[in-house]
């Protein structure tokens, strides 16, 4: 192998690895591609409860993303249209019609409380240097839900691709609860646009599904398309119907698009043609029925891995318990620090330890006087007194010492102890705590707002030749 071949091979491998891990394939842990993670991280940094101009968000996110503003803008709009983590204000386009969003300077967004609940915890998040070394960005958020299953994802890398269909968030949470309880469950795709899905060939997230439009054929001379198949817009649907009509596959007089918040495509039929006669032709020759091939590829432990729906969901059910335990341990540590500080403060003031420092002439003598003053009360302390404790005590203002409220201090300590007892109770039953947490997430999402939109139904296979023969005019010429 020549040196040129060696260099080419090495550079190609590095490029392929970069595209797979840093651009196209989502991480199993938080379900995000890097650009999506950087957008969410930026929104966490900017979060003040108010809406932010998308143009400002894109500008801030460019500190982490080296590929320009257009990719950030498009990814943000797509994320916002998932209605899971980002609240929108303004024209973010229409996924039903295919209309694009307004310019970034005209639209606004902010994080929903749900995002903070399931993604945000800087103390548990691993950070690395950004591409220019000026900032720190997360490797992956400690997500408590399988985002990759709820939002779905598609991506094309070098030599591999991923395509995971979205699922209903409430059904995903119910499946997580079932997994934690050791019960069986089934999970099928659910699309924001509704439609009908046949999951006969959906093999645990692999294989394929057939999706259909929902047709209203109550009027014999008119067909109304009320819901679209996943991945199809009203514009593409109308184009496919018109092309089928030009080729003589359908007999229609006109087609009108009244789609806005809901799909409403009106197909008026030609004379002597009735709705029930051309339904099969619509499924056979137009975008009213399409087939989607699925490839659930994610980055797991830095390696591209194909995982089924049950594998992903069971992994996340276990991961939820791990994250909740880590959060409880962190909270416990913070409470113990607070309890220690309150106890030190109480002894420092009640036992007048601060009087010992009045005649001291150096900082070292002051520190030693305070530390020695606590020696008789060692049994009441959670841990030995260190210099940080001394520094904090010495910063207590004289006014606060003179107005020290013993009862308030005791109430604070009692509340801390009560919180610690509650944490110990949760740690003793982590699965039960996780199930309660899942119920809280369902309440935050809203049961009514996230009901299943896509109907699951087994289709009868339509033979295109049979449809063509059925529409063939038969004449007798004596």
């Amino acid at each position: 192998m020549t040196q040129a071949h060696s260099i080419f091979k090495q550079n190609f491998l590095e490029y392929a690895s970069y595209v797979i891990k840093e651009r196209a394939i989502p991480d199993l842990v938080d379900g995000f591609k890097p650009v999506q993670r950087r957008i969410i991280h930026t929104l966490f940094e900017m979060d003040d409860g108010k809406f932010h101009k998308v143009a400002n968000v894109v500008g801030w996110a460019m500190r982490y993303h080296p590929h320009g503003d257009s990719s950030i803008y498009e990814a943000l709009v797509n994320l916002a249209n998932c209605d899971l983590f980002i609240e929108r204000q303004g024209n973010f386009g229409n996924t039903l019609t295919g209309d694009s969003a307004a310019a970034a300077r005209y639209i606004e967004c902010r994080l929903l409380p749900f995002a903070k609940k399931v993604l945000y915890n800087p103390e548990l998040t691993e950070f690395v240097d950004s591409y220019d070394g000026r900032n720190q960005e997360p490797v992956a958020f400690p997500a408590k839900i399988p985002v990759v299953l709820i939002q779905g994802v598609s991506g094309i890398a070098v030599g591999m691709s991923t395509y995971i269909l979205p699922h209903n968030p409430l059904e995903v949470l119910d499946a997580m609860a079932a997994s934690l309880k050791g019960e069986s469950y089934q999970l099928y795709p659910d699309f924001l646009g509704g439609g009908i899905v046949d999951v006969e060939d959906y093999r645990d997230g692999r294989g394929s599904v057939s999706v259909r439009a929902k047709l209203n054929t109550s009027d014999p001379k008119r067909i109304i398309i009320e819901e679209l198949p996943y991945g199809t817009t009203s514009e593409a649907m109308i184009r496919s119907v018109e092309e089928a009509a030009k080729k003589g596959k359908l007999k229609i007089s006109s087609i009108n698009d009244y789609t806005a918040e809901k799909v409403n495509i009106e197909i008026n039929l030609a004379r002597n043609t009735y709705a029930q006669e051309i339904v099969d032709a619509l499924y056979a020759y137009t975008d009213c029925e399409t087939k989607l091939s699925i490839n659930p590829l994610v980055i797991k432990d830095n390696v591209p891995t194909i995982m089924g729906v049950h594998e992903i969901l069971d992994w996340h059910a276990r991961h939820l318990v791990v994250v909740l335990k880590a959060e409880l341990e962190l909270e416990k540590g913070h409470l113990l620090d607070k309890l220690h500080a309150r106890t030190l403060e109480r002894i420092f003031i009640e036992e007048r330890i601060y009087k010992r420092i009045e005649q001291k002439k150096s900082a070292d003598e002051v520190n030693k006087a305070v530390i020695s003053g606590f020696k008789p009360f060692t049994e009441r302390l959670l841990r030995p007194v260190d210099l940080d404790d001394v520094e904090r005590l010495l910063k207590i203002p004289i006014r606060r010492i003179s107005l020290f409220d013993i009862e308030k201090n005791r109430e604070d300590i009692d509340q801390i102890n009560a919180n610690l007892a509650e944490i110990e109770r949760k740690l003793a039953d982590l699965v039960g705590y996780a199930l309660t947490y899942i119920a809280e997430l369902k309440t935050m999402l809203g049961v009514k707002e996230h009901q299943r939109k896509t109907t699951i139904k087994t289709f009868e296979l339509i033979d295109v030749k049979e449809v063509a023969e059925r529409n063939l005019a038969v004449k007798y010429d004596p």
Side-chain angles (χ1 to χ4, degrees):
M1 182 182 293
T2 65
Q3 186 177 3
H5 281 101
S6 179
I7 293 173
F8 178 82
K9 180 180 179 181
Q10 181 63 32
N11 289 347
F12 178 79
L13 287 174
E14 289 179 2
Y15 169 74
S17 176
Y18 175 79
V19 172
I20 291 166
K21 291 179 60 180
E22 298 296 326
R23 294 181 68 174
I25 311 299
D27 195 287
L28 172 64
V29 178
D30 60 11
F32 291 133
K33 297 179 183 181
V35 65
Q36 296 171 322
R37 187 179 302 111
R38 288 160 182 160
I39 289 167
I40 296 293
H41 176 59
T42 299
L43 285 170
F44 278 134
E45 288 186 316
M46 299 177 70
D47 184 47
D48 58 2
K50 299 177 182 179
F51 281 98
H52 301 280
K53 287 281 187 185
V54 166
N56 288 340
V57 179
V58 171
W60 275 63
M62 285 183 70
R63 296 177 302 158
Y64 306 108
H65 196 62
H67 300 296
D69 60 334
S70 61
S71 61
I72 301 172
Y73 165 71
E74 291 169 9
L76 195 157
V77 169
N78 290 334
L79 264 178
N81 284 330
C82 288
D83 287 329
L84 190 64
F85 296 129
I86 299 176
E87 184 177 359
R88 300 163 295 176
Q89 184 165 275
N91 176 18
F92 274 74
N94 190 328
T95 56
L96 300 177
T97 63
D99 293 339
S100 58
R105 61 186 177 276
Y106 297 127
I107 55 180
E108 298 177 324
C109 68
R110 64 180 175 188
L111 282 175
L112 288 166
F114 185 76
K116 303 171 193 175
K117 179 85 170 174
V118 301
L119 296 176
Y120 188 67
N121 195 321
E123 291 182 276
L124 293 180
T125 304
E126 180 185 354
F127 289 86
V128 295
D129 288 339
S130 60
Y131 72 95
D132 60 3
R134 290 190 176 95
N135 299 281
Q136 291 271 299
E137 63 174 307
V139 175
F141 293 113
K144 302 183 184 76
I145 58 173
V147 176
V148 73
L149 286 183
I150 296 174
Q151 291 191 155
V153 67
S154 65
I156 300 174
V158 179
M160 60 183 67
S161 66
T162 185
Y163 192 32
I164 301 174
L165 299 179
H167 295 74
N168 184 278
L170 297 180
E171 292 179 3
V172 169
L173 291 174
D174 286 338
M176 287 184 71
S179 178
L180 287 170
K181 290 185 283 189
E183 300 172 355
S184 62
Y185 60 88
Q186 289 293 333
L187 200 59
Y188 297 118
D190 184 33
F191 313 121
L192 288 175
I196 307 169
V197 61
D198 184 341
V199 296
E200 189 172 347
D201 295 325
Y202 187 70
R203 300 189 300 274
D204 193 36
R206 301 176 177 90
S208 63
V209 297
S210 295
V211 288
R212 278 184 176 181
K214 183 179 179 182
L215 306 180
N216 183 341
T217 58
S218 57
D219 186 336
K221 293 298 295 177
R222 183 178 61 175
I223 293 177
I224 305 295
I225 301 177
E226 297 180 335
E227 294 177 4
L228 296 171
Y230 179 67
T232 304
T233 64
S234 62
E235 183 180 342
M237 177 64 71
I238 289 173
R239 188 164 56 247
S240 72
V241 173
E242 289 176 338
E243 287 176 359
K246 287 178 182 177
K247 294 176 181 177
K249 307 295 185 181
L250 300 172
K251 296 177 181 179
I252 66 173
S253 61
S254 64
I255 183 168
N256 302 300
D257 187 7
Y258 302 113
T259 301
E261 292 183 1
K262 292 184 178 180
V263 176
N264 188 344
I265 300 174
E266 180 186 76
I267 303 174
N268 295 301
L269 306 183
R271 294 175 64 181
N272 299 322
T273 305
Y274 299 93
Q276 293 299 332
E277 297 174 0
I278 72 162
V279 166
D280 285 352
L282 280 172
Y283 289 139
Y285 299 118
T286 73
D287 287 347
C288 281
E289 180 178 336
T290 58
K291 192 167 187 175
L292 307 174
S293 297
I294 308 156
N295 187 44
L297 181 73
V298 295
I299 301 295
K300 180 185 179 185
D301 299 327
N302 287 323
V303 177
T305 308
I306 293 179
M307 298 179 69
V309 167
H310 276 70
E311 288 179 272
I312 294 173
L313 199 135
D314 290 342
W315 186 93
H316 268 279
R318 296 190 300 270
H319 186 249
L320 171 62
V321 174
V322 171
V323 174
L324 290 178
K325 181 180 179 181
E327 286 187 344
L328 289 172
E329 294 287 359
L330 273 174
E331 188 179 354
K332 180 181 176 180
H334 294 326
L335 286 172
L336 288 173
D337 289 341
K338 189 181 292 186
L339 180 60
H340 179 68
R342 293 288 184 274
T343 305
L344 287 179
E345 187 178 287
R346 180 176 173 180
I347 295 172
F348 184 72
I349 296 173
E350 277 188 337
E351 304 298 334
R352 297 180 177 274
I353 293 176
Y354 58 88
K355 290 287 187 180
R356 291 169 169 259
I357 67 175
E358 291 178 351
Q359 304 301 323
K360 306 303 178 185
K361 299 186 182 298
S362 68
D364 188 51
E365 289 179 356
V366 169
N367 292 339
K368 288 179 179 178
V370 174
I371 291 174
S372 63
F374 278 99
K375 286 183 178 178
F377 312 102
T378 302
E379 293 182 357
R380 292 162 60 181
L381 302 178
L382 296 178
R383 55 177 173 79
V385 181
D386 58 26
L387 293 178
D388 289 336
D389 295 327
V390 173
E391 185 177 356
R392 189 168 55 252
L393 290 169
L394 294 177
K395 288 181 179 179
I396 299 176
I398 295 295
R399 178 179 177 80
R400 190 170 150 208
I401 291 176
S402 61
L403 297 176
F404 183 69
D405 189 338
I406 296 175
E407 288 303 317
K408 177 68 168 59
N409 182 272
R410 285 175 179 166
E411 288 176 7
D412 289 346
I413 289 176
D414 289 342
Q415 184 60 53
I416 293 170
N417 283 322
N419 292 341
L420 284 168
E422 178 65 14
I423 287 175
E424 292 295 346
R425 185 189 66 78
K426 291 176 179 176
L427 285 170
D429 182 19
L430 282 170
V431 172
Y433 175 48
L435 293 172
T436 303
Y437 189 88
I438 288 172
E440 291 176 8
L441 294 182
K442 289 180 66 177
T443 302
M444 284 188 74
L445 281 173
V447 176
K448 290 184 179 179
E449 295 84 351
H450 287 86
Q451 289 297 312
R452 167 167 279 275
K453 296 177 174 62
T454 303
T455 304
I456 299 174
K457 187 177 179 181
T458 301
F459 304 157
E460 292 183 11
L461 294 176
I462 296 176
D463 188 336
V464 176
K465 291 183 179 179
E466 184 181 327
V467 173
E469 290 172 1
R470 191 188 310 156
N471 295 337
L472 194 65
V474 179
K475 296 181 180 180
Y476 172 71
D477 189 6

